[in-house]
């Protein structure tokens, strides 16, 4: 259930299979003319991920729960039920499923588009893999969208199915790859919404996940002191799962943790009588050697800026069947991006220029106008599907467009976890999110709606303070709003919105850390400033950026510069593979 490989060409298939077998154990293989398929076990679990019925079969990767069963039992029932009326929304999870039945093969992912499947289809030759990198390794030739890499690094995501490798696309939850009579094709269905009311979101989620305690013997939860992970924990506790809490301790700007955050996680563990394990996420100095990690994980190697300790902890320490994170929790509350936006009604163009795209992107892109047109077309398509007027958008429409960001940017860690064990972003379920999109905007002010969810599943968790956005907050049970009662942090937020000079902001940040006695914050501020030159120097090694002014990179955050550099490492590895093409 760890990886999936499908190629119509034997030589391409054999090359990728050789790469995969170095790290993943083969589970099931199907070889026919123009059709070579293989699925591989997870790295820390070996449940079967295929079911055969004569000359027909079904395979699955990721995590799929169907009729209160998992693995081969779930696949058998999906196979028996699969016909033209089959609704994949009845499957809970983050998955890819391929099924050969009645002479037709279909491959689809969950409707929420949380699981990564990438494909290249040209002249009836298909390549399918879990990562862009591996698909590119066996393409005839590769051309890169460098502006897409910059957009990914600065924005985290771009709408649509294109990737930074031209002619490689990401499969969406509305698409199905089909093979019949020797012809490969990609079919797309219409977006659908559900009649479920927002008042029943919490009940419906519990209904869909109601038997998890009978399916999984051991669960884990990556925990912080914030809101989103607590929503997941409340659901897990309600369902009878008592997960081990994992907490990452890091000393870098990418894995920074605060004293208050860790204290609250300990308080949660103590109050709910849950085991707590600490993960070593300390930064390891980048010394090259990325090739073996890229060959194993593809572009996912760059998680936490290629922190080898994070990857090592997954490989050696994670000991559970089901592992959850707090992803998609932000969609259940209003985020500062839209709350602080000074327009109540705005156009799609204003959304792109004033919210979606950072202004500096224009200075680093080679063809910003072309990139912007693609982004506009992608968002316009989503707007039309969801009946949003692009000339008159309201704040409540924000989540309907922002969901494409969450489905792409938030899912890297989930897809990495699915290589090792089961992992599901339950609150990103396609059916649930389609209902969430219509929850009244003001019902989510100050996290009211999300707090109601936590209280619904596990009221005791609302009695413990929250540490959200580097601030302690408490629940006001009369309004169900999460309130920041610290006067200093309130003033800090007001000042931050009004000051744009980076030098002045740095001085004010230092003063703030002194006032609140945050020694780690002071240290991180100094570290951020001292490491700027190291990160800007790395840009010299990126060939396609050498024509850019160095002053541009000095304005970018270190994490963005590092992300650009790590994507470039992937491109170099693809080019290295190009010299050994089949």
């Amino acid at each position: 259930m760890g990886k999936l490989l499908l190629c119509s060409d034997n030589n391409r298939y054999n090359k990728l299979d050789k790469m995969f077998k170095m790290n993943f154990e083969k589970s099931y293989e199907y070889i026919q003319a123009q059709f070579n398929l293989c699925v591989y076990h997870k790295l820390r679990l070996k449940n079967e991920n295929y079911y055969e019925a004569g000359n027909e079969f079904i395979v699955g990767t990721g995590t799929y729960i169907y009729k209160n069963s998992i693995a081969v039992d779930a696949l058998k029932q999906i196979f028996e039920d699969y016909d033209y009326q089959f609704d994949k929304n009845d499957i809970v999870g983050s998955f890819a499923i391929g099924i050969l039945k009645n002479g037709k093969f279909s491959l689809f992912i969950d409707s929420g588009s949380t699981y990564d499947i990438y494909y290249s289809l040209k002249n009836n030759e298909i390549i399918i893999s879990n990562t862009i990198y591996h698909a590119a390794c066996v393409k005839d030739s590769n051309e890169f969208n460098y502006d897409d890499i910059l957009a990914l690094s600065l924005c985290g995501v771009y709408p649509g199915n294109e990737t930074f490798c031209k002619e490689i696309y990401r499969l969406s939850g509305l698409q199905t790859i089909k093979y019949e009579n020797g012809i490969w094709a990609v079919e797309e269905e219409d977006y659908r919404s559900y009649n479920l009311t927002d008042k029943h979101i919490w009940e419906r989620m519990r209904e869909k996940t109601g038997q998890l305690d009978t399916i999984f013997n051991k669960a884990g939860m990556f925990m912080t002191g914030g809101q989103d992970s607590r929503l997941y924990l409340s659901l897990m506790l309600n369902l009878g799962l008592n997960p081990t809490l994992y907490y990452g301790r890091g000393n870098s700007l990418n894995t920074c943790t605060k004293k208050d955050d860790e204290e609250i996680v300990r308080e949660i563990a103590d109050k709910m009588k849950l085991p707590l394990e600490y993960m070593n996420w300390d930064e390891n100095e980048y010394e090259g050697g990325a090739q073996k990690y890229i060959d194993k994980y593809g572009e996912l190697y760059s998680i936490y800026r290629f922190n080898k300790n994070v990857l090592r902890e997954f490989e050696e320490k994670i000991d559970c069947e089901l592992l959850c994170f707090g992803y998609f929790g932000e969609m259940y509350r209003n985020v500062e991006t839209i709350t602080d936006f000074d327009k109540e009604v705005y156009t799609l163009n204003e959304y792109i220029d004033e919210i979606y795209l950072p202004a500096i992107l224009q200075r680093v892109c080679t063809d910003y106008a072309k990139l912007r047109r693609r982004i506009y077309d992608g968002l316009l398509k989503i707007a039309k599907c969801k009946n949003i007027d692009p000339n008159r958008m309201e704040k409540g429409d924000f989540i309907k467009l922002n969901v494409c960001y969450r489905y792409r940017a938030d899912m890297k860690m989930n897809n990495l976890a699915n290589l090792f064990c089961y992992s599901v972003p339950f609150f990103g379920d396609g059916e649930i999110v389609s209902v969430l999109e219509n929850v009244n905007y003001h019902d989510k002010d100050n996290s009211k709606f999300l707090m109601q969810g936590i209280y619904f599943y596990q009221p005791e968790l609302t009695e413990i303070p929250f540490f959200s956005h580097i601030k302690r907050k408490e629940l006001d049970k009369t309004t169900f709003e999460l309130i920041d009662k610290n006067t200093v942090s309130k003033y800090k937020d007001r000042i931050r919105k009004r000051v744009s000079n980076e030098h002045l902001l740095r001085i004010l940040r230092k003063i703030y850390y002194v006032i609140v006695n945050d020694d780690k914050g002071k240290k991180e501020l100094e570290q951020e400033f001292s490491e700027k030159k190291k990160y800007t120097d790395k840009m010299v090694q990126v060939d396609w950026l050498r024509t850019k002014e160095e002053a541009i990179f000095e304005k970018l955050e270190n994490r963005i510069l590092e992300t650009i550099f790590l994507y470039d490492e992937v491109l170099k590895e693809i080019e290295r593979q190009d010299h050994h093409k089949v």
Side-chain angles (χ1 to χ4, degrees):
M1 299 176 189
K3 290 183 77 70
L4 180 146
L5 165 63
L6 196 158
C7 289
S8 52
D9 178 81
N10 292 344
N11 291 327
R12 301 183 207 280
Y13 174 82
N14 290 332
K15 179 177 179 178
L16 281 183
D17 179 47
K18 183 178 179 181
M19 292 177 69
F20 288 176
K21 285 190 298 185
M22 293 178 64
N23 298 294
F24 295 85
E25 182 181 343
K26 188 176 293 188
S27 172
Y28 175 77
E29 188 173 42
Y30 179 86
I31 304 294
Q32 294 290 331
Q34 294 291 306
F35 194 147
N36 304 280
L37 176 145
C38 189
V39 286
Y40 304 80
H41 285 297
K42 292 180 181 293
L43 293 169
R44 295 187 69 84
L45 292 174
K46 287 191 177 180
N47 289 14
E48 296 300 334
N49 55 346
Y50 72 94
Y51 170 74
E52 284 184 297
N55 296 322
E56 301 177 324
F57 68 83
I58 182 172
V59 297
T61 59
T63 303
Y64 36 88
I65 304 165
Y66 185 67
K67 292 185 175 179
N68 298 322
S69 60
I70 194 79
V72 66
D73 294 331
L75 291 175
K76 181 179 180 180
Q77 293 190 72
I78 294 170
F79 182 85
E80 292 173 351
D81 293 349
Y82 189 80
D83 58 24
Y84 68 95
Q85 292 182 323
F86 180 79
D87 187 354
K88 66 181 179 182
N89 284 289
D90 292 333
I91 308 172
V92 177
S94 179
F95 58 82
I97 287 177
I99 181 168
L100 177 64
K101 189 173 183 179
N102 299 325
K104 302 176 184 178
F105 175 78
S106 298
L107 176 71
F108 56 87
I109 64 172
D110 59 283
S111 61
S113 303
T114 66
Y115 192 76
D116 283 346
I117 287 292
Y118 296 94
Y119 69 92
S120 172
L121 177 56
K122 187 176 182 180
N123 300 325
N124 205 38
E125 288 222 351
I126 196 161
I127 304 166
I128 300 176
S129 175
N130 296 79
T131 54
I132 303 168
Y133 168 75
H134 289 103
C137 281
V138 291
K139 273 181 79 266
D140 286 332
S141 61
N142 287 290
E143 187 178 351
F144 304 126
N145 294 309
Y146 297 114
D147 284 350
D148 284 0
I149 293 176
L150 293 170
L152 276 171
S153 302
L154 271 76
C155 312
V157 72
Y158 47 85
N161 299 83
E162 295 186 58
T163 71
F164 58 80
C165 278
K166 294 185 178 179
E167 298 180 348
I168 294 180
Y169 304 92
R170 185 180 188 270
L171 190 68
S172 86
L174 295 176
Q175 294 176 317
T176 301
I177 295 175
K178 295 197 172 183
Y179 182 69
E180 185 178 6
N181 298 324
I183 303 298
W184 288 99
V186 179
E187 296 183 1
E188 188 157 351
E189 62 190 68
D190 293 332
Y191 176 82
R192 60 184 286 195
S193 58
Y194 293 80
N195 295 323
L196 188 71
T197 67
D198 62 277
K199 301 299 182 185
H200 299 120
I201 282 181
W202 312 121
E203 291 95 330
R204 179 58 177 151
M205 178 58 73
R206 185 167 59 183
E207 179 186 338
K208 296 188 78 166
T209 56
Q211 302 297 317
L212 288 186
D213 61 326
T214 65
I215 298 171
F216 300 106
N217 295 317
K218 193 170 184 180
M221 179 72 217
F222 267 90
M223 203 70 201
T224 70
Q227 310 169 50
D228 306 333
S229 59
R230 205 172 307 190
L231 178 62
Y232 274 80
L233 179 61
S234 69
L235 173 65
M236 296 173 83
L237 292 172
N238 183 279
L239 297 174
L241 292 169
N242 294 297
T244 295
L245 304 185
Y246 292 103
Y247 186 77
R249 281 173 168 166
N251 62 355
S252 74
L253 298 173
N254 301 316
T255 59
C256 61
T257 51
K258 298 288 188 181
K259 180 182 67 174
D260 299 60
D261 193 58
E262 184 177 334
E263 286 177 352
I264 288 176
V265 171
R266 279 203 302 267
E267 186 175 347
I268 292 171
D270 291 341
K271 185 176 183 64
M272 309 311 297
K273 296 180 172 55
L274 299 173
L276 172 60
E277 292 191 18
Y278 293 99
M279 314 298 289
N280 173 19
W281 285 6
D282 281 348
E283 178 114 284
N284 48 268
E285 185 66 24
Y286 181 83
E287 297 173 350
Q291 179 185 334
K292 71 173 184 177
Y293 290 94
I294 297 175
D295 281 348
K296 185 174 184 178
Y297 301 115
E299 60 275 9
L300 292 177
Y301 94 110
S302 64
I303 283 175
Y304 282 109
R305 317 298 171 245
F306 185 31
N307 187 320
K308 296 177 186 176
N309 282 328
V310 172
L311 295 174
R312 187 179 299 114
E313 293 284 51
F314 270 98
E315 294 170 340
E316 300 176 1
K317 194 168 183 178
I318 298 295
D319 182 26
C320 59
E321 293 176 325
L322 174 67
L323 182 64
C324 289
F325 306 85
Y327 297 126
F328 289 99
E330 285 194 357
M331 300 203 310
Y332 291 76
R333 55 188 171 87
N334 289 335
V335 295
E336 288 83 351
T337 306
I338 190 64
T339 301
D340 296 341
F341 192 49
D342 59 5
K343 297 176 182 176
E344 293 296 324
V345 178
Y346 51 98
T347 66
L348 180 59
N349 279 314
E350 289 173 325
Y351 169 77
I352 292 172
D353 294 330
E354 299 178 38
I355 296 179
Y356 194 93
L357 295 179
I360 198 169
L361 191 57
Q362 298 187 51
R363 296 182 60 189
V364 292
C365 281
T366 301
D367 191 343
Y368 177 78
K370 180 180 178 181
L371 175 69
R372 191 192 179 286
R373 279 196 303 273
R374 279 183 50 210
I375 289 174
Y376 179 87
D377 291 342
L379 292 175
L380 181 62
K381 181 179 179 181
I382 296 171
K384 288 180 177 178
C385 285
K386 300 184 178 183
N387 296 316
I388 300 172
D389 182 351
N391 297 311
R392 185 178 173 78
M393 295 169 51
E394 298 179 356
K395 284 195 171 184
D397 294 322
F398 173 77
I399 188 176
K400 298 179 183 180
L401 295 181
N402 194 47
V403 67
C404 74
Y405 172 87
R406 292 295 161 205
Y407 278 133
R408 296 289 292 272
D410 281 3
M411 289 296 95
K412 291 180 181 178
M413 184 65 89
N414 179 73
N415 278 279
L416 179 71
N418 261 306
L419 296 178
F420 296 91
C421 57
Y422 296 112
S423 186
V424 185
F426 292 112
F427 289 97
D429 178 87
E431 176 187 349
I432 300 297
V433 169
S434 74
V435 180
L436 174 69
E437 290 176 348
N438 296 309
V439 172
N440 185 279
Y441 169 77
H442 291 294
D443 286 346
K444 292 182 288 185
D445 283 343
N446 296 318
S447 303
K448 283 187 293 188
F449 189 67
L450 188 147
M451 291 298 113
Q452 289 168 10
I454 296 175
Y455 190 84
F456 177 85
Y457 294 128
Q458 190 56 253
E460 288 181 81
L461 285 177
T462 62
E463 297 171 4
I464 302 170
F466 292 79
F467 189 70
S468 181
H469 290 216
I470 323 182
K471 290 174 285 190
R472 272 188 177 262
K473 296 184 178 182
E474 295 181 8
L475 178 65
D476 182 338
K477 289 190 177 179
T478 61
T479 64
F480 262 89
E481 293 179 284
L482 202 58
I483 303 299
D484 176 13
K485 296 183 178 180
N486 189 310
T487 304
V488 175
S489 66
K490 290 179 181 178
Y491 279 114
K492 183 201 75 169
D493 290 343
R494 293 173 187 171
I495 293 171
R496 182 66 183 89
K497 294 172 186 177
R498 289 168 171 76
V499 178
S500 58
N501 184 286
E502 291 299 323
H503 179 68
L504 178 57
L505 274 175
R506 184 168 177 269
I507 294 173
L508 293 172
R509 282 174 62 191
K510 188 171 184 178
I511 293 172
Y512 171 76
Y513 292 138
V514 170
I515 293 174
V516 299
N517 196 28
D518 186 350
D519 291 333
K520 188 169 186 181
K522 289 186 287 185
K523 183 178 179 181
E524 288 168 358
L525 184 61
E526 293 168 1
Q527 183 181 359
E528 180 183 324
F529 184 75
S530 64
E531 290 185 352
K532 173 62 73 173
K533 187 176 189 309
K534 180 182 76 173
Y535 286 110
T536 53
D537 286 347
K538 280 188 176 182
M539 294 301 100
V540 178
Q541 303 173 44
V542 180
D543 294 338
W544 46 277
L545 288 176
R546 285 182 178 171
T547 59
K548 307 296 181 183
E549 300 176 21
E550 186 174 326
I552 294 176
F553 301 116
E554 291 177 354
K555 293 181 178 296
L556 296 176
E557 295 179 32
N558 293 345
R559 63 177 180 82
I560 293 174
L561 297 174
E562 185 74 357
T563 302
I564 295 171
F565 178 78
L566 292 173
Y567 272 120
D568 185 62
E569 290 285 279
V570 174
L571 303 189
K572 288 176 180 176
E573 283 302 309
I574 293 173
E575 290 173 337
R576 184 181 66 83
Q577 293 286 347
D578 282 345
H579 295 297
H580 303 89
K581 287 295 184 188
V582 293

